[in-house]
Amino acid sequence: MELILPANQYRDSYIDYIDELGREERYPFPMDFDYSDFEKMLAKINDFSKGVNLPSGFVQSSTFWLVDSGALVGVTNIRHRLNKEIEHCGGHIGLSIRPSYRGKGLGNKLMHLSIEKLWQLGVDTIHIHCYKDNMSSARAIISNGGQLISELPLEYKVVQRYLVTRT
Ligand SMILES: CC(C)(COP(=O)(O)OP(=O)(O)OC[C@H]1O[C@@H](n2cnc3c(N)ncnc32)[C@H](O)[C@@H]1OP(=O)(O)O)[C@@H](O)C(=O)NCCC(=O)NCCS
């Protein structure tokens, strides 16, 4: 199992992943990019990682794919820095595990690898947010050192805000 940069060789597996998600909300946000021209999507992801051609309100962020035996099994997106709005709600890390691979410890592993990427980028205090009713996400944050610092009630859900601090 390894964390790689998005690559054309996983095109079919990416599409299978999206198909598996069905109507489920897609995380992290690059999974909402149009993938009909796959090379174009990869170029867009690459632009985000360099902080170029960003839409207003977005910050530089890197996407990595967790792959296992030729299959794409997870996706993470790591923001290099936060703006005020994203520090308020959003945080540094968005990730998901492919539905058929969930509940096997991969969410914990991908969270760990994402945090390590942020350490490497020099981010010492990591903000991670999740919906309060997303038990597996909250558990993965806590298991990776997340300390709950506040809860933000939205109109329809409560967002929990965690910090992971480098020791
Ligand atoms: C959140 C998500 C990444 C977790 O991935 P996963 O591979 O299922 O997680 P793991 O198997 O590593 O489990 C992580 C923790 O959640 C617990 N858990 C797993 N499934 C659970 C469930 N259905 N209900 C409650 N807890 C659960 C595990 O026991 C584990 O707890 P521990 O760390 O205390 O041992 C995955 O469910 C997912 O992709 N969800 C949709 C996208 C999403 O919500 N992303 C987060 C917001 S950006």
Side-chain angles (χ1 to χ4, degrees), residues 17 24-25 27 93-98 101-109 129-130 134-137 139-140 143:
Y17 190 149
E24 184 179 311
E25 200 170 342
Y27 292 101
I93 298 174
L95 52 73
S96 75
I97 294 296
R98 187 168 168 166
Y101 288 82
R102 290 179 191 166
K104 301 173 181 177
L106 295 184
N108 268 342
K109 187 180 177 76
H129 300 168
C130 79
N134 191 342
M135 291 305 294
S136 49
S137 181
R139 288 300 322 156
S143 290

Side-chain angles (χ1 to χ4, degrees), residues 145-162:
Q147 301 281 332
L148 181 64
I149 48 157
S150 60
E151 293 192 339
L152 176 67
L154 301 180
E155 205 175 304
Y156 55 103
K157 277 190 176 188
V158 175
V159 172
Q160 290 189 323
R161 297 190 281 207
Y162 293 84

